[in-house]
Amino acid sequence: MKYTKYLSMITIIALTSIGCNENKKNEQSPLVLKATQNGLKAIPTNESELHKIINNPQNPVTKDKVEFGKKLFFEPRLSKSNLISCNSCHNLGLGGDDGVSSAIGHGWTSNPHHLNSPTVYNAVFADKQFWDGRSPDLENQAQGPILASPEMASTKEIVVNTITSIPEYLAEYKKVFKTDEVTYEKITSAIGTFERTLVTPSRFDDFLNGNSKALTKEEEKGLETFIDKGCVSCHNGYALGGTMQPFPAVKPFKYSNIGNFSSKIVKVPTLRNITETAPYFHNGSSWDLSETVKIMGETQLGLDLKDNEVQEIVTFLKTLDGRKPIISYPILPKETSQTPKPNLDIN
Amino acid sequence: MKYTKYLSMITIIALTSIGCNENKKNEQSPLVLKATQNGLKAIPTNESELHKIINNPQNPVTKDKVEFGKKLFFEPRLSKSNLISCNSCHNLGLGGDDGVSSAIGHGWTSNPHHLNSPTVYNAVFADKQFWDGRSPDLENQAQGPILASPEMASTKEIVVNTITSIPEYLAEYKKVFKTDEVTYEKITSAIGTFERTLVTPSRFDDFLNGNSKALTKEEEKGLETFIDKGCVSCHNGYALGGTMQPFPAVKPFKYSNIGNFSSKIVKVPTLRNITETAPYFHNGSSWDLSETVKIMGETQLGLDLKDNEVQEIVTFLKTLDGRKPIISYPILPKETSQTPKPNLDIN
């Protein structure tokens, strides 16, 4: 365990908020049993268990790499303009996203497909990345937006030259990757490593981990409804989401006319911190969580959920508001005369 | 002293890095004496002394107000788009500015006068705010960019409604200001309060405060040259700047054709962290610190500084790289259905 700076904080918060012994598996409440049998999983409170889940053996999570990746996550000089960082659209202070329907990037360009920025919190738990699932993991995902012209509009050359021209970054890179060869892929992989640590355990996890008092009776009822109505068939696992599924599956989607995203298979969004990540759907078409639950019932399950059922589910969803890791805002090393200059041109 | 969370950190760092007793005024080195006689002032290591300098009796610096102001400083939902915060142009990770020649705001609009964003670090030490000095203090200054259409493009109504619609913010406001009446002026004053804490003592301060080993012989020589050549006539006080002075004073400014800033009296930029705040001048016209020093010698002092003199001065300026306060990135409270929605329209 080498990245305790972040994980230990998460773990400490999680540990201090559970009241029971999570190992008493034989004493699980019927609802906990039902939830886990339906595929819901708690973020473990045990640091080494969590490490196994979030680690990438091909690009191990280490303390130094997390720290380097954190700086790069907040680093606007990776963008063409020097003004846009990962945190611009995946704002860690705002639930890990930007709160606008369609992402805005270089030159105030809106995402050409009217795609909504998904939260970076708990993204590590997803099977695939991007709405169409074209990326296998966070390290790979991080390569995309930096180069995309409507996002950070950069080039591999700018990114590599920025890192190599700043002595502190170059030293940090060499320390982390044990090589003098600076590549775009390795630089961006450190961002993915940092993102792997962004997990947010909530009262829901406390409940599954054995604290029978973590949820109110209304919230337990909401969890029952969530399971019984079938939401859990897609919203399961650690992320309560993150797999690729047909959308819309059963009935047409009322906001399908917004944007031109054409994939029939769509990544199921995580429900963790869902109350902080409006607007909803891949095209950011609804600002209302109740409406969103109602629509999902129709399009995915063919159900006309009653108002009280919708409200029960929403009551449960609020238990997924997570405890965020404490992040000290990084002081970024200063550039040199060799560092690429900002380019604000739109074309 | 109620804002120890920030100031104590600054103070601890400052204290631990000085080796001598700053009270031994009688043993001041000739250079320290010369520097102070020429108007240079060290950021005090004593917390209560520092408090007196940075406090605003009309809007006292308190721990709660600093914490509230910190959130608002990082709060993009104060802007029309919900994407731009104070930190966008005054990035605390990048020397307190944005690193582009002319500030970029709502709709990717460049500052209409081609004005460069000044650093927010140590801005508290300036007599006036804005390049033309039209604002008396940080509380008043913070009212401007939020409403300016090429910057955050917001309205007082949006800002007030955002705060009142978010229960955590409303509660925090009431706690800080002890009133139910929510005003734009009070909200923005909290941002000013936070900014008052952003001071960055450096090795230069350690030297003035009595640590005779804080500077190398070359750096001491640089300080001498800085004083002897007359730079200190404008770059003095705690900020090494911050007063209003004629510019250009003696000879024409070679980059005067960039932008249309017409004030004959210009705020002297602080020299603290100057190596981190390129590009230079009010219009961001030079990326090179040596060139900038050379130009200032011409325009302000009528001097043709020799290359070695320029380098001596630059060597001194590097001692002003300051120790930044540690800022934990704020988790911002979530909005409600009453919170104003983002508006990305350019007009």
Side-chain angles (χ1 to χ4, degrees):
Chain A
M1 295 310 307
K2 291 185 178 169
Y3 54 106
T4 45
K5 178 168 181 183
Y6 294 99
L7 293 188
S8 62
M9 266 185 294
I10 303 168
T11 313
I12 288 162
I13 296 166
L15 280 168
T16 53
S17 58
I18 65 165
C20 299
N21 184 341
E22 63 172 308
N23 294 323
K24 291 182 184 171
K25 299 286 179 193
N26 296 334
E27 295 177 30
Q28 272 183 339
S29 81
L31 181 54
V32 171
L33 203 61
K34 181 174 177 174
T36 51
Q37 283 172 345
N38 277 279
L40 291 171
K41 291 182 179 174
I43 298 175
T45 55
N46 179 287
E47 195 171 319
S48 119
E49 244 182 277
L50 179 56
H51 178 79
K52 275 181 213 148
I53 299 164
I54 68 167
N55 192 34
N56 177 356
Q58 272 73 54
N59 176 43
V61 176
T62 63
K63 184 181 173 184
D64 288 344
K65 206 186 284 168
V66 170
E67 190 54 34
F68 184 45
K70 181 181 92 165
K71 287 182 190 148
L72 300 178
F73 184 86
F74 282 100
E75 180 53 90
R77 290 171 298 187
L78 299 184
S79 69
K80 179 181 175 183
S81 66
N82 286 14
L83 295 172
I84 303 175
S85 72
C86 304
N87 191 63
S88 300
C89 291
H90 301 286
N91 192 324
L92 298 183
L94 288 175
D97 73 354
D98 51 12
V100 296
S101 295
S102 169
I104 296 289
H106 188 91
W108 207 255
T109 311
S110 186
N111 183 284
H113 308 291
H114 207 282
L115 285 172
N116 180 255
S117 306
T119 178
V120 68
Y121 281 119
N122 306 295
V124 61
F125 298 131
D127 287 355
K128 304 282 179 183
Q129 302 299 330
F130 292 118
W131 285 107
D132 62 1
R134 68 184 181 277
S135 173
D137 56 32
L138 289 170
E139 286 84 348
N140 179 276
Q141 190 279 338
Q143 295 177 26
I146 296 172
L147 305 183
S149 59
E151 302 186 42
M152 291 168 71
S154 197
T155 64
K156 291 186 181 186
E157 194 183 13
I158 288 174
V159 171
V160 168
N161 289 346
T162 297
I163 300 304
T164 50
S165 67
I166 297 178
E168 291 87 338
Y169 271 151
L170 188 58
E172 209 165 338
Y173 179 96
K174 288 180 182 175
K175 186 178 170 199
V176 166
F177 292 111
K178 321 263 187 261
T179 172
D180 287 352
E181 192 201 7
V182 179
T183 69
Y184 178 71
E185 291 70 21
K186 279 203 164 59
I187 294 167
T188 46
S189 79
I191 297 174
T193 297
F194 168 64
E195 293 173 338
R196 286 180 181 274
T197 67
L198 300 174
V199 305
T200 70
S202 76
R203 289 193 292 119
F204 165 72
D205 301 280
D206 301 341
F207 182 72
L208 288 199
N209 282 329
N211 179 357
S212 60
K213 298 197 173 134
L215 302 188
T216 66
K217 289 298 157 203
E218 291 71 26
E219 288 164 347
E220 290 189 22
K221 169 78 178 158
L223 172 54
E224 291 256 19
T225 307
F226 180 82
I227 297 168
D228 293 344
K229 291 294 165 184
C231 309
V232 76
S233 58
C234 289
H235 290 286
N236 53 37
Y238 295 109
L240 295 93
T243 60
M244 301 303 299
Q245 301 290 343
F247 175 84
V250 182
K251 289 190 179 176
F253 174 43
K254 78 184 269 196
Y255 295 126
S256 62
N257 62 322
I258 298 176
N260 67 350
F261 181 66
S262 59
S263 177
K264 299 296 173 210
I265 306 290
V266 180
K267 190 182 66 173
V268 181
T270 179
L271 295 181
R272 291 186 181 275
N273 306 301
I274 193 75
T275 70
E276 297 174 48
T277 58
Y280 303 111
F281 297 112
H282 63 278
N283 57 4
S285 50
S286 177
W287 285 90
D288 187 87
L289 186 53
S290 297
E291 180 195 35
T292 301
V293 170
K294 177 105 179 148
I295 290 174
M296 288 304 288
E298 287 163 16
T299 64
Q300 301 309 99
L301 302 165
L303 292 177
D304 184 16
L305 291 172
K306 292 177 198 147
D307 285 354
N308 67 307
E309 293 167 339
V310 169
Q311 285 324 303
E312 285 163 17
I313 292 168
V314 168
T315 296
F316 162 63
L317 294 179
K318 290 178 181 171
T319 72
L320 299 168
D321 288 357
R323 299 181 286 272
K324 314 294 187 302
I326 296 165
I327 309 274
S328 68
Y329 194 66
I331 301 299
L332 305 172
K334 60 187 159 191
E335 64 258 24
T336 63
S337 58
Q338 273 72 54
T339 308
K341 296 281 183 291
N343 180 345
L344 300 163
D345 294 349
I346 292 179
N347 295 311
Chain B
M1 295 313 307
K2 292 185 176 168
Y3 53 106
T4 44
K5 179 166 180 184
Y6 294 99
L7 293 190
S8 63
M9 263 182 298
I10 302 167
T11 313
I12 288 162
I13 296 166
L15 280 168
T16 53
S17 58
I18 62 165
C20 299
N21 184 342
E22 62 171 309
N23 294 324
K24 291 183 185 170
K25 299 286 179 195
N26 297 335
E27 294 178 31
Q28 274 183 339
S29 80
L31 181 53
V32 170
L33 202 63
K34 180 174 178 174
T36 51
Q37 283 172 344
N38 277 278
L40 291 171
K41 291 181 178 175
I43 297 176
T45 56
N46 179 287
E47 196 170 318
S48 123
E49 243 184 278
L50 179 56
H51 177 79
K52 276 182 212 148
I53 299 165
I54 67 167
N55 192 35
N56 177 356
Q58 272 73 53
N59 176 43
V61 175
T62 63
K63 184 180 173 185
D64 287 343
K65 205 185 287 168
V66 169
E67 190 53 35
F68 185 44
K70 182 181 91 165
K71 286 181 190 149
L72 300 178
F73 184 86
F74 282 100
E75 180 53 270
R77 290 171 299 186
L78 299 184
S79 70
K80 179 180 176 183
S81 66
N82 287 14
L83 294 172
I84 303 175
S85 72
C86 304
N87 191 63
S88 300
C89 292
H90 301 286
N91 193 324
L92 298 183
L94 287 175
D97 73 354
D98 51 12
V100 297
S101 294
S102 168
I104 295 289
H106 187 90
W108 209 255
T109 311
S110 185
N111 181 284
H113 308 292
H114 208 281
L115 286 173
N116 180 255
S117 305
T119 177
V120 68
Y121 282 119
N122 307 294
V124 62
F125 298 130
D127 287 355
K128 304 282 180 183
Q129 302 298 331
F130 292 118
W131 285 107
D132 62 2
R134 67 184 183 277
S135 172
D137 55 33
L138 290 170
E139 287 83 348
N140 179 276
Q141 190 280 337
Q143 296 178 25
I146 296 174
L147 305 183
S149 59
E151 302 187 42
M152 291 168 70
S154 197
T155 64
K156 291 186 179 185
E157 194 183 12
I158 289 175
V159 171
V160 168
N161 289 346
T162 296
I163 299 306
T164 52
S165 68
I166 297 177
E168 291 87 339
Y169 271 152
L170 188 58
E172 209 165 338
Y173 179 96
K174 289 179 182 177
K175 187 178 168 199
V176 166
F177 292 110
K178 320 268 187 259
T179 173
D180 287 353
E181 193 202 6
V182 179
T183 68
Y184 178 71
E185 290 69 23
K186 279 202 164 60
I187 295 167
T188 46
S189 78
I191 297 173
T193 298
F194 168 63
E195 293 173 337
R196 286 179 182 275
T197 68
L198 300 174
V199 304
T200 69
S202 76
R203 291 192 291 117
F204 166 70
D205 301 281
D206 302 341
F207 182 71
L208 288 199
N209 282 328
N211 180 356
S212 61
K213 300 202 171 128
L215 302 188
T216 65
K217 289 297 158 206
E218 290 71 26
E219 289 163 346
E220 290 189 22
K221 169 80 178 156
L223 172 54
E224 292 256 16
T225 306
F226 180 81
I227 297 168
D228 293 343
K229 290 294 165 185
C231 311
V232 76
S233 57
C234 291
H235 290 286
N236 53 37
Y238 295 109
L240 295 91
T243 59
M244 301 303 299
Q245 301 289 344
F247 175 83
V250 183
K251 289 191 180 177
F253 174 44
K254 77 184 266 198
Y255 295 126
S256 63
N257 62 323
I258 298 176
N260 66 350
F261 181 67
S262 58
S263 178
K264 299 295 172 211
I265 305 290
V266 180
K267 190 181 66 172
V268 181
T270 178
L271 295 181
R272 291 187 180 275
N273 305 301
I274 193 75
T275 69
E276 297 174 49
T277 59
Y280 303 111
F281 296 112
H282 63 278
N283 58 2
S285 50
S286 177
W287 285 90
D288 188 86
L289 186 53
S290 296
E291 181 194 33
T292 301
V293 169
K294 176 103 179 149
I295 290 174
M296 288 303 289
E298 287 162 17
T299 63
Q300 302 309 99
L301 302 165
L303 292 176
D304 184 17
L305 291 172
K306 292 177 198 146
D307 285 353
N308 67 306
E309 292 167 338
V310 168
Q311 285 323 304
E312 284 163 17
I313 292 168
V314 167
T315 297
F316 163 63
L317 294 179
K318 291 178 181 173
T319 71
L320 299 169
D321 288 358
R323 301 182 283 273
K324 314 294 186 301
I326 296 165
I327 309 273
S328 69
Y329 194 66
I331 301 299
L332 305 173
K334 61 186 156 190
E335 64 257 26
T336 64
S337 58
Q338 272 73 52
T339 308
K341 298 280 184 291
N343 180 345
L344 299 162
D345 294 349
I346 291 178
N347 294 311

